[in-house]
Amino acid sequence: MVSPGVLVKINRHNRFNQGQDWPISITIISPPKHGTISIQDGTAPITYHDGVMRMSAVKDLFYKSDPGYTGVDTFTYKRVSEDEADPLNTHTYTMTVYVK
């Protein structure tokens, strides 16, 4: 449940064990019908493959519902990294939010 919005943090693509870290871009494929999405650069604590938590660059997606709207809304986005071999570059993601 969200009111009035929800924040999603999306990690960068990295292979720190190989010394590589790629920035990502986010493209909204299908926008929400009852709200808006804003995308900003941010940071978040991320636990990596070696079990160590580090602050990492992320993309912040913030969904904000239209004034007075209650119900279900969805949007679809694609996350793409600069690593051409990143298997997630071919995926799209749909989020469903419940606004009270």
Side-chain angles (χ1 to χ4, degrees), residues 2 6 9 20 24 28 32-33 37-40 43-44 50 59 62 65-66 73 75-76 80 88 90 93 99-100:
V2 294
V6 63
K9 293 189 174 286
Q20 298 170 317
I24 61 168
I28 302 298
K33 293 181 180 174
I37 296 289
S38 61
I39 303 170
Q40 298 178 356
T43 58
D50 58 5
K59 290 290 185 186
F62 185 75
S65 62
D66 290 338
D73 204 356
F75 65 93
T76 302
V80 177
L88 297 180
T90 61
Y93 304 88
V99 184
K100 10 179 191 179

Side-chain angles (χ1 to χ4, degrees), residues 34-84:
H34 305 286
T36 58
I37 296 289
S38 61
I39 303 170
Q40 298 178 356
D41 292 327
T43 58
I46 306 293
T47 302
Y48 289 96
H49 71 283
D50 58 5
V52 176
M53 184 178 293
R54 298 176 179 92
M55 289 304 289
S56 181
V58 297
K59 290 290 185 186
D60 290 337
L61 272 66
F62 185 75
Y63 167 87
K64 183 176 180 184
S65 62
D66 290 338
Y69 177 75
T70 60
V72 176
D73 204 356
T74 62
F75 65 93
T76 302
Y77 68 92
K78 184 173 185 175
R79 167 214 167 276
V80 177
S81 77
E82 293 179 7
D83 175 11
E84 294 177 6

Side-chain angles (χ1 to χ4, degrees), residues 14-29:
N14 59 63
R15 287 188 227 148
F16 284 121
N17 59 337
Q18 297 174 8
Q20 298 170 317
D21 185 22
W22 292 274
I24 61 168
S25 63
I26 302 295
T27 302
I28 302 298
I29 303 296

